[in-house]
């Protein structure tokens, strides 16, 4: 059955392939990937490393602090609000966000009750997107103003806040920056004797802020970054290891490796960056989708004149696409008529 899902050959270079994906809800996306062919033992090595990287090295975005006026304690009750400050902080902790830049950004809520306050009521900076606008924050039972200031950060791992850090109505929120909720791997072996090959299957569940394939790319990129320093051992001459042990470390052409990795990373990133992440107008997005332009890599195969030939895709649409590409990636689409390969 597994052999039918993905064809393998011992002479091929190992390749990733998505063999299944689904969105169970806005906050739960699933993807299943296969890497093959691998030599005996390699699947376990890669599977262990990738699972750890997926769970601990992929960045996510969270609300980390909130400010409520005249609040002195985490368990304070606010007249006209059904939830305590503690309950509100838990609800804020569960809100799923997506953002590209790093650093701390500010958001706010200013709502007059009575009504339910949800994630869609948060006034966000342009660089931050809410994944599920229906997430509940608080229930206002009286005609009061619910005014709260929020701080949003992008990081990795998790951050447990001290309960004693309340100052001037600002209270910290435990932050779980991990967009990957779970990751599992399994191995299928085939072949006989010394000619045993393996297929690595990797399952990824995310909170919706990243697609599973994006999480896979991010974890892979971070693993590469972690191992790069070992290739510089000759340059750094760590602890004088060459002289003390009487042998020389092999010399690696690090400058070439760095260039190749950067180029490879850019190509992979373009293949895994979908055009719905470019925040293009819906009409432009729909036009591109009709001609099977789904990723940034697909888009970069077109010139400006190629795009003009797409139905209902005029000069203004081309300008909008060009502006986004230049602003976010410093990339210019060529004007000539032939496709770029």
């Amino acid at each position: 059955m597994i052999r039918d899902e993905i064809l393998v050959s011992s002479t091929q270079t190992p390749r990733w392939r998505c063999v299944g994906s689904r969105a169970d809800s806005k906050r739960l996306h699933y993807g299943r990937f296969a890497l093959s062919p691998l030599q005996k033992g390699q699947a376990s090595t890669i599977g262990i490393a990738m699972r750890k990287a997926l769970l601990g090295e992929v960045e996510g975005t969270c609300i980390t602090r909130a400010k409520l006026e005249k609040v002195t304690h985490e368990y304070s009750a606010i007249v006209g609000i059904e939830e305590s400050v503690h309950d509100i902080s838990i609800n804020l902790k569960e809100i799923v966000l997506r953002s590209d830049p790093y650093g701390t950004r500010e958001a706010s809520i200013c709502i007059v009750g009575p009504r339910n306050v949800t994630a869609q009521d948060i006034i966000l900076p342009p660089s931050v997107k809410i994944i599920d606008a229906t997430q509940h924050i608080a229930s206002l039972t009286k005609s009061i103003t619910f005014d709260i200031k929020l701080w949003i950060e992008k990081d990795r791992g998790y951050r447990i806040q001290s309960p004693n850090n309340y100052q001037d109505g600002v209270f910290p929120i435990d932050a779980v920056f991990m967009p990957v909720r779970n990751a599992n791997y399994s191995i299928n072996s085939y072949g006989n004797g010394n000619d045993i090959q393996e297929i690595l299957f990797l399952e990824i569940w995310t909170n919706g802020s990243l697609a599973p394939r994006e999480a896979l790319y991010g974890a892979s990129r971070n693993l590469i970054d972690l191992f790069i320093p070992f290739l510089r051992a000759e340059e750094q001459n760590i602890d004088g290891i060459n002289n003390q042990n009487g042998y020389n470390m092999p010399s690696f052409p690090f400058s070439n490796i760095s260039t190749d990795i950067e180029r490879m990373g850019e190509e992979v990133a373009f293949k895994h960056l979908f055009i719905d992440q470019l925040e293009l107008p819906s009409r432009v997005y729909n036009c591109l989708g009709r001609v099977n332009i789904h990723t940034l890599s697909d888009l970069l195969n077109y010139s400006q004149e190629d795009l003009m030939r797409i139905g209902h895709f005029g000069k203004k649409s081309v300008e909008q696409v060009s502006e986004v590409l230049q602003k976010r990636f410093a990339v210019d689409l060529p004007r000539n008529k032939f496709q770029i390969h």
Side-chain angles (χ1 to χ4, degrees):
M1 175 179 173
I2 296 178
R3 293 284 299 274
D4 293 337
E5 287 187 22
I6 183 166
L7 299 176
V8 294
S9 169
S10 60
T11 61
Q12 293 178 348
T13 300
R15 290 178 177 270
W16 281 109
R17 176 180 173 182
C18 180
V19 295
S21 64
R22 66 176 184 267
D24 295 327
S25 68
K26 290 182 179 180
R27 286 179 276 165
L28 184 60
H29 291 198
Y30 169 81
R32 186 168 185 254
F33 305 87
L35 176 64
S36 68
L38 297 169
Q39 296 182 18
K40 184 178 180 181
Q42 290 182 336
S44 177
T45 301
I46 298 172
I48 292 172
M50 284 300 299
R51 184 175 187 275
K52 288 183 175 292
L54 283 163
L55 294 174
E57 297 295 328
V58 180
E59 297 90 350
T61 303
C62 290
I63 297 172
T64 57
R65 286 180 293 160
K67 182 176 182 179
L68 282 166
E69 298 294 342
K70 300 179 181 179
V71 172
T72 59
H73 194 272
E74 178 184 5
Y75 296 98
S76 298
I78 304 175
V79 176
I81 300 180
E82 185 175 309
E83 294 83 358
S84 68
V85 174
H86 176 72
D87 294 331
I88 294 173
S89 67
I90 291 177
N91 293 336
L92 291 172
K93 173 184 175 181
E94 296 298 324
I95 292 177
V96 180
L97 302 170
R98 177 188 175 101
S99 67
D100 291 329
Y102 288 86
T104 302
R105 278 139 293 155
E106 296 182 359
S108 63
I109 303 174
C110 188
I111 295 294
V112 178
R115 58 165 294 179
N116 288 327
V117 182
T118 62
Q120 70 178 350
D121 297 313
I122 301 176
I123 302 172
L124 293 167
S127 58
V128 181
K129 177 183 177 182
I130 293 176
I131 301 303
D132 184 0
T134 66
Q135 285 184 268
H136 180 74
I137 297 175
S139 298
L140 308 185
T141 58
K142 295 184 179 181
S143 181
I144 64 168
T145 299
F146 182 71
D147 192 355
I148 184 171
K149 184 177 181 181
L150 306 172
W151 284 264
I152 297 171
E153 297 181 52
K154 185 174 184 179
D155 205 340
R156 63 183 64 180
Y158 59 89
R159 185 186 303 167
I160 304 299
Q161 304 287 6
S162 170
N164 299 320
N165 285 345
Y166 296 87
Q167 295 180 354
D168 300 326
V170 177
F171 55 94
I173 298 173
D174 293 341
V176 180
F177 294 103
M178 299 177 288
V180 177
R181 293 308 189 209
N182 195 15
N184 290 326
Y185 73 92
S186 59
I187 301 169
N188 179 57
S189 301
Y190 61 95
N192 298 309
N194 295 326
D195 190 26
I196 295 178
Q197 301 289 314
E198 296 179 337
I199 306 174
L200 171 65
F201 290 95
L202 193 61
E203 295 180 288
I204 303 171
W205 290 262
T206 72
N207 65 0
S209 64
L210 288 181
R213 64 172 62 242
E214 290 179 289
L216 182 64
Y217 165 71
S220 303
R221 179 195 60 203
N222 290 336
L223 276 178
I224 291 174
D225 292 342
L226 289 174
F227 283 104
I228 285 296
F230 291 103
L231 300 180
R232 305 187 65 175
E234 172 68 13
E235 294 180 19
Q236 296 173 349
N237 191 23
I238 301 173
D239 296 331
I241 187 173
N242 292 343
N243 295 331
Q244 291 180 8
N245 294 311
Y247 64 86
N248 291 324
M249 296 285 289
S251 177
F252 293 95
F254 182 75
S255 59
N256 294 337
I257 291 174
S258 298
T259 303
D260 291 342
I261 288 176
E262 290 175 3
R263 183 168 60 251
M264 177 187 68
E266 183 178 84
E267 293 173 357
V268 173
F270 287 172
K271 289 180 180 179
H272 290 282
L273 185 61
F274 290 82
I275 59 172
D276 59 356
Q277 301 170 34
L278 303 182
E279 299 180 357
L280 293 167
S282 57
R283 185 179 60 80
V284 174
Y285 171 74
N286 292 332
C287 288
L288 295 176
R290 283 197 293 269
V291 294
N292 294 321
I293 299 178
H294 300 297
T295 67
L296 183 57
S297 180
D298 296 335
L299 180 58
L300 294 179
N301 284 326
Y302 284 71
S303 68
Q304 295 184 30
E305 293 187 1
D306 292 330
L307 294 178
M308 290 283 289
R309 290 197 291 268
I310 298 174
H312 308 292
F313 205 92
K315 182 178 179 181
K316 182 178 179 180
S317 299
V318 173
E319 291 175 350
Q320 290 172 328
V321 171
S322 299
E323 181 180 356
V324 169
L325 292 178
Q326 177 55 232
K327 183 177 179 179
R328 296 188 59 176
F329 306 102
V331 171
D332 293 314
L333 286 178
R335 294 181 178 275
N336 48 8
K337 296 182 180 181
F338 59 88
Q339 289 189 357
I340 305 300
H341 298 282

